[in-house]
Amino acid sequence: RMAEEKRKTKTSTAVKQRYIDKTYDIISARVPKELAAAFKEKCAAEGVPQAQIIKKAIEDFLAE
C-alpha cells in the first residue's frame, strides 16, 4: 500500500502582506546613528528582536 503524501500548501506573499497591512501599523523614529548602532548591537548580542524592545517601551509608556 502506498503512503499518502501530505498536500503542501503555501500562503501567497500577497495574502500575508494583506494581513500585515490590516493588522499592523508602522511607527518610525530618527535617532542618532551611534544610538541606533548600539541598540542593534545589544539586541543582537542578547538575541532579542528590536521590535520587541520598542513594543515593550510603548506598552510601558501607555500604562503610565
Side-chain angles (χ1 to χ4, degrees):
R1 187 174 155 181
M2 294 180 77
E4 287 185 33
E5 260 189 70
K6 259 192 163 181
R7 185 173 155 214
K8 293 183 181 181
T9 59
K10 293 184 180 181
T11 303
S12 74
T13 303
V15 170
K16 291 177 192 175
Q17 192 60 51
R18 280 198 305 271
Y19 172 78
I20 290 169
D21 291 344
K22 180 177 76 170
T23 309
Y24 296 96
D25 202 351
I26 297 171
I27 296 174
S28 64
R30 291 187 181 269
V31 297
K33 288 184 183 277
E34 299 79 23
L35 183 63
F39 175 66
K40 291 175 183 181
E41 185 177 315
K42 184 169 182 176
C43 286
E46 296 186 10
V48 179
Q50 295 172 32
Q52 180 179 323
I53 301 297
I54 296 167
K55 284 184 224 175
K56 176 83 168 78
I58 293 170
E59 290 166 354
D60 291 350
F61 177 72
L62 293 174
E64 291 177 356

